[in-house]
Each structure stands twice: as C-alpha cells, then as structure tokens.
Amino acid sequence: GVSIMGIEDEDTLTINGNRHYPLQSVFKFHIAIVVLAEVDKGNLSLNQKVKIKKSDLKLDTWSPIKDKFPNGTNLTLAEIIRYTVSESDNIGCDILLRLIGGTKIINQYFLNNNFKDISIQANEEEMHKDWNVQFTNWTTTNSANNLLKAFYDKRLLSKKSNDFLWKTMIETTTGKKRIKGQLPESTIVAHKTGTSGTNEKGISAAVNDIGIVTLANGKHFIISIFVSNSYENGETNEKIISDISKLTWNYFMNKMN
C-alpha cells in the first residue's frame, strides 16, 4: 500500500490506499500523539518521572531502555516518548499505553477527532505472544497520510508538543534504508517505522514506514508505505520502500524545476 501527498501543491497518488495493513510499531506515532494530547490538557507532564521496575523489563523484546537500565530506572515522560518513537522501544510503548489507560483511549481519541480506519487493540506484549494479534492493529496508507497531514498542520497538539514530536521523529534511528534510504544524506525526514518478525512460512507481516519529507527546495511531501505479507527478505522489502520514496522525490523535484 502506498499513499503520497504533496503538501504545498496537494498532488496525490494512492495504490491500495484503503486496504487494511498491520501497523506494527507505526502505532507508536499514534500513541505519542494521544499521550501528548494528555500533556496539553495538563493531565500529564513531559517532566514527570515514571518509575520503570525491573519486572517491567522481563519481555524478550526490542528495548534500548532494557539494554541501558537492566535493573530498572526512573525516566521522564519525555525520555520515554523519545525511546518509544525515535528508537521504537517496545517496553516504553507499553508503559505509555498503561499511563493513558490502554488501547481503548487511543481508539476513542481518533474517533473523537474524526479519523477513520485506525484500529489499535493490542500492546507490544500481546503482539509478541501470538502472530495473529498484530493484525488487530491496523490502518490504511490513506489514513496514515491524513494523520501525518493533521500533525504537520498543527491541528492536533500545542506548538510545544508538536515541535517535540517533530524533533523526535526526525531523530528516528530505525529504518535508515526505507524512506530515507536513497534520498540525499542531509534530507530531513520525520518518520516512524514498523517491522514484524518472519513466520515459519517465511512471511514477513509488516515492513512499514510513514513520514514527512522535506525536499531540497524547502517544500514537503507526505508518504506512507506498508509492505505486508511478503515472502521477500528484509533487504528487498526495505528497498521497495526506498525505491518508491526516491521516485517520489524525483517527481516533486522535477515538477518544481
């Protein structure tokens, strides 16, 4: 699935844009928005300390927090969001979900704000227990683009929260060979990746990347690409994304010249 939107000229393209694709860690962008909305309401603070117990770190899962603090620690909410979005920390993700009251709160937020085709039913721990659970967390590429556009337009969060999440997404360390893979090295990309495991049949359920790309001329395009149920290896799946991203870059740069 592919959805592309030129922000300044509103030129769009979609391929399978309304199909349901498993989000995997792309949902950490959605979760961060809802957490920051609670910060804006005064219910949470970016500076508040959150205790992370050793028992919180027991999952056999991707977690830079666990690697750095194997016996637990205290982190600010801002630090947990950075770990969760920039480094795709699974334990940080589940801590954020617990802080705001679970996945129902996430879904209700997006319903209340008139976003369609977003279903978030399971946390990271639940997804790790059963292959099929990941498919209960889904969206469409069109929906992902619409959310990114609302975020870019600062329609969801305060300026302070928006700027914080923008910086956090620019600092993303995962998926360097996806949207950013073939773009000029200095390109600013605010993005969030998602990646599943591979099952015994050799199927990768999800290799995803969604983001906002700043072109060399200062204009922007939004792009969401979900590669789902692929028999290709990880390198090929990532190249599919980077090829489409590069073609999009070339299109908009040539169009502007």
Side-chain angles (χ1 to χ4, degrees):
V2 181
S3 291
I4 298 163
M5 179 193 301
I7 290 181
E8 284 78 13
D9 66 359
E10 300 182 349
D11 199 351
T12 63
L13 170 73
T14 66
I15 301 169
N16 298 325
N18 289 316
R19 286 191 185 177
H20 295 182
Y21 295 93
L23 277 157
Q24 275 291 332
S25 287
V26 168
F27 83 152
K28 292 166 183 169
F29 169 58
H30 299 67
I31 292 167
I33 284 177
V34 179
V35 171
L36 289 167
E38 290 299 305
V39 170
D40 289 343
K41 291 177 188 173
N43 296 330
L44 296 170
S45 166
L46 286 177
N47 296 321
Q48 75 183 73
K49 288 281 191 175
V50 179
K51 184 175 179 60
I52 301 174
K53 298 177 289 186
K54 188 173 182 178
S55 58
D56 293 326
L57 308 174
K58 62 189 177 184
L59 290 176
D60 180 18
T61 191
W62 171 258
S63 175
I65 292 175
K66 180 179 66 174
D67 294 342
K68 188 169 183 180
F69 308 104
N71 295 310
T73 188
N74 291 301
L75 295 176
T76 65
L77 181 60
E79 288 172 314
I80 295 173
I81 294 172
R82 285 195 190 98
Y83 273 111
T84 299
V85 176
S86 295
E87 300 186 49
S88 210
D89 194 295
N90 292 337
I91 290 173
C93 171
D94 285 359
I95 289 169
L96 293 178
L97 279 172
R98 285 202 299 272
L99 272 175
I100 59 171
T103 57
K104 286 183 180 179
I105 302 298
I106 305 290
N107 288 303
Q108 195 59 52
Y109 172 87
F110 290 111
L111 285 173
N112 292 347
N113 286 278
N114 299 313
F115 288 97
K116 298 177 181 178
D117 296 322
I118 298 171
S119 173
I120 297 173
Q121 307 297 329
N123 66 13
E124 285 286 355
E125 184 175 4
E126 290 163 337
M127 280 198 288
H128 277 71
K129 289 178 178 176
D130 185 331
W131 176 265
N132 293 317
V133 170
Q134 67 187 306
F135 297 99
T136 66
N137 291 345
W138 58 263
T139 194
T140 67
T141 55
N142 285 347
S143 177
N145 264 24
N146 289 336
L147 182 57
L148 286 166
K149 181 64 163 58
F151 167 62
Y152 178 84
D153 288 343
K154 300 180 174 62
R155 285 189 273 129
L156 302 174
L157 302 170
S158 68
K159 184 180 186 305
K160 181 180 177 182
S161 290
N162 217 88
D163 289 349
F164 170 75
L165 185 53
W166 177 263
K167 182 175 184 291
T168 303
M169 291 175 72
I170 287 172
E171 292 171 351
T172 290
T173 59
T174 57
K176 292 177 181 177
K177 294 183 178 180
R178 299 184 194 181
I179 290 175
K180 296 180 73 172
Q182 298 180 51
L183 303 185
E185 194 170 341
S186 60
T187 303
I188 295 172
V189 181
H191 67 123
K192 184 69 200 83
T193 58
T195 312
S196 74
T198 302
N199 69 10
E200 67 278 359
K201 296 178 181 177
I203 298 173
S204 296
V207 180
N208 306 331
D209 204 2
I210 71 168
I212 303 166
V213 178
T214 302
L215 290 154
N217 56 19
K219 295 190 176 184
H220 308 81
F221 67 85
I222 298 171
I223 186 165
S224 296
I225 307 173
F226 296 152
V227 181
S228 185
N229 290 332
S230 173
Y231 283 97
E232 305 294 344
N233 61 28
E235 184 178 343
T236 301
N237 289 328
E238 290 195 315
K239 190 172 185 299
I240 290 168
I241 294 174
S242 69
D243 282 348
I244 295 169
S245 177
K246 184 64 164 76
L247 284 168
T248 306
W249 172 279
N250 290 346
Y251 170 81
F252 281 110
M253 288 303 295
N254 290 334
K255 183 179 180 182
M256 308 292 183
N257 290 337

